[in-house]
Amino acid sequence: MKPSNDLSGLIKYLSRAEWHDRLEDVMGDHFAPIMTAFDIEYEEIGEILGEHWDRTLWGCAFEDFLTQSFDPDGINIVDDYIKRRGWNEKVQSKAYMKALSTSVMSLYEASEIVPGQSMTLRDMVRGGEPLLVHEHSATQSLKKWDRIAARVVPMNGKHILAGGVLPFTLEGTTLFQKGFDDLYRQSRDEGIHADRDVLLADAASLFTNVWLFDTLPKAMGLIAPMVYNSDGDELVFHSVRFPLATGVTQKAIGAQLDTVKALHRESATFWNWLGTKPTKRKDKKADGVAFNSTMEDGTPILGNIELKGRFVTLTVNSAERAKAGTPLFTKALGNLVRAPLTEIQTIDQMRADHEGNDAPRSVVPPEIATKLVHEMLDKSYRETLDQPVGMLGDITPRAASKSANGRVKLVEWLKYIENRSAQQPDDTDPMATYDYSWLWRELGVENERR
């Protein structure tokens, strides 16, 4: 028995020449800009992204096609098909086709997700009250505050999703919103006071274009976001191993390291190499991600010194720090050590090594590990409340909560960190089970957590 949302008969109807040619024009709107920008053929998009996304992207373009009317008499394929072939379709199937033909794709934020059953979607373009959407497949993988481009279709007193659903990253969301705002301003400038429903109907291909411009380069390996430390140096891990000279003891090495003012002893065999506490943030890069490690008072940790067996090892996260630290500790240790050996590993190499090995099993009981991680996150976020945050315009979360515009950015930031924390393969991971509700209450925006 055919499901109520079966479109197979309508798809076969595309073989008629007048509809096949019109579909090709709509497909061009969705894919031609990408094909031109990356110098690839349509078939290559599916080869790069995989069969699932090939079907999904085609479905997005096809659903857009179902909503369009064509000259000379404003004919629509759904109306034409039902008129000529409707006798062969169930009432429910025809109702679904008609609902699709008047639908618009929009950008939604998901919350209150019940896997396999339903979720609440907030329209990020048109606003309005959130919608309860009944859905089986997407709710299995979506996390709270995920963004999706989709068509919400009313059926039998409920709301369901059409087949073309695209997940949007934060970057993709920002890119789409900018593109849509430009279209809105352009329509106003031209004296066309179109509402957002009309503009969304005209901008369906923008969702596909933006999603592909955000996703395809990553899949092709063309974009790898740079990761920097607090000095602004690219993250490349260096391990500088100093062999102990003959007859030198660990005790002698430890005593000598204690004389280095830049070192802070953490244990009998471990020291932090500290920099000077910055007076101005230096960790921002427009094209990258910051990776910092600091002491409780904000003093940056430049690297670590560890004494193990017959080696003293300096570990740092950039070539620049290795270049500064190697002569510093060579001089400090003098004839207690021999010439050092350096090993270098990039983030990609570390990731490849990690993916090639089974994850080590923790010897810490899960309930203890969860408690420790949650306490660490409590402490970290408590400190963050009084530190400048890039997404908030380099002001503190507490300061952002004092203004209307700041609270808008604050809610976006809170949703972002909560969503990132939820993106764990294991739902029982301590990061995934952390409760962020106290942060919302602390900042006075708990009513926006919906």
Side-chain angles (χ1 to χ4, degrees), residues 268-286:
T269 59
F270 191 90
W271 290 258
N272 283 321
W273 175 28
L274 305 181
T276 56
K277 190 173 180 179
T279 56
K280 184 178 180 182
R281 288 172 60 88
K282 300 186 346 180
D283 58 1
K284 284 189 66 181
K285 288 272 187 175

Side-chain angles (χ1 to χ4, degrees), residues 345-364:
Q345 194 171 41
T346 66
I347 289 180
D348 288 340
Q349 289 170 333
M350 290 185 71
R351 185 183 296 116
D353 287 348
H354 175 75
E355 292 173 352
N357 296 294
D358 293 333
R361 293 185 178 181
S362 173
V363 297
V364 181

Side-chain angles (χ1 to χ4, degrees), residues 369-383:
T370 296
K371 182 175 184 294
L372 291 173
V373 170
H374 288 184
E375 287 177 351
M376 179 270 293
L377 290 172
D378 283 342
K379 179 176 181 295
S380 175
Y381 284 123
R382 182 71 62 182
E383 294 172 351

Side-chain angles (χ1 to χ4, degrees), residues 64-75:
D64 179 24
F65 173 66
L66 299 184
T67 70
Q68 299 197 23
S69 299
F70 298 91
D71 292 333
D73 49 3
I75 190 171

Side-chain angles (χ1 to χ4, degrees), residues 126-138:
R126 294 174 291 181
E129 288 299 312
L131 296 173
L132 176 65
V133 177
H134 295 268
E135 207 281 335
H136 174 73
S137 179

Side-chain angles (χ1 to χ4, degrees), residues 129-391:
E129 288 299 312
L131 296 173
L132 176 65
V133 177
H134 295 268
E135 207 281 335
H136 174 73
S137 179
T139 53
Q140 302 280 7
S141 58
L142 285 175
K143 304 295 184 182
K144 190 172 186 178
W145 312 130
D146 274 351
R147 283 85 179 272
I148 59 172
R151 294 175 185 270
V152 177
V153 181
M155 281 290 291
N156 299 325
K158 298 180 179 180
H159 290 97
I160 64 173
L161 290 186
V165 178
L166 298 173
F168 266 61
T169 63
L170 176 66
E171 296 80 11
T173 299
T174 302
L175 186 59
F176 172 80
Q177 289 174 326
K178 182 181 184 303
F180 188 81
D181 287 344
D182 289 343
L183 285 175
Y184 187 74
R185 282 192 297 271
Q186 182 181 346
S187 71
R188 304 273 301 185
D189 292 343
E190 294 174 353
I192 305 171
H193 301 290
D195 63 26
R196 290 182 179 268
D197 273 15
V198 173
L199 282 177
L200 281 171
D202 291 339
S205 60
L206 180 61
F207 288 100
T208 310
N209 293 167
V210 168
W211 190 86
L212 281 167
F213 272 112
D214 183 40
T215 304
L216 200 59
K218 300 169 187 174
M220 296 172 69
L222 299 180
I223 293 180
M226 301 294 288
V227 185
Y228 302 92
N229 61 25
S230 58
D231 294 331
D233 304 326
E234 181 184 354
L235 229 63
V236 179
F237 295 92
H238 288 63
S239 179
V240 186
R241 288 160 51 92
F242 296 85
L244 271 60
T246 302
V248 173
T249 64
Q250 287 193 357
K251 183 177 180 180
I253 294 291
Q256 186 62 24
L257 290 174
D258 284 338
T259 67
V260 180
K261 292 182 179 180
L263 290 181
H264 180 272
R265 184 190 278 264
E266 294 290 337
S267 70
T269 59
F270 191 90
W271 290 258
N272 283 321
W273 175 28
L274 305 181
T276 56
K277 190 173 180 179
T279 56
K280 184 178 180 182
R281 288 172 60 88
K282 300 186 346 180
D283 58 1
K284 284 189 66 181
K285 288 272 187 175
D287 59 346
V289 178
F291 179 90
N292 304 319
S293 182
T294 65
M295 301 290 282
E296 289 188 2
D297 64 355
T299 302
I301 299 174
L302 303 181
N304 308 117
I305 289 280
E306 185 174 15
L307 182 56
K308 189 173 183 179
R310 299 295 300 170
F311 291 93
V312 182
T313 302
L314 166 67
T315 304
V316 293
N317 61 18
S318 74
E320 289 77 7
R321 290 182 180 178
K323 186 176 180 180
T326 302
L328 172 66
F329 295 108
T330 297
K331 181 178 179 180
L333 294 171
N335 59 8
L336 297 178
V337 295
R338 298 198 298 272
L341 302 173
T342 302
E343 295 180 0
I344 301 174
Q345 194 171 41
T346 66
I347 289 180
D348 288 340
Q349 289 170 333
M350 290 185 71
R351 185 183 296 116
D353 287 348
H354 175 75
E355 292 173 352
N357 296 294
D358 293 333
R361 293 185 178 181
S362 173
V363 297
V364 181
E367 63 276 10
I368 301 298
T370 296
K371 182 175 184 294
L372 291 173
V373 170
H374 288 184
E375 287 177 351
M376 179 270 293
L377 290 172
D378 283 342
K379 179 176 181 295
S380 175
Y381 284 123
R382 182 71 62 182
E383 294 172 351
T384 301
L385 294 180
D386 297 300
Q387 296 176 357
V389 174
M391 282 184 66

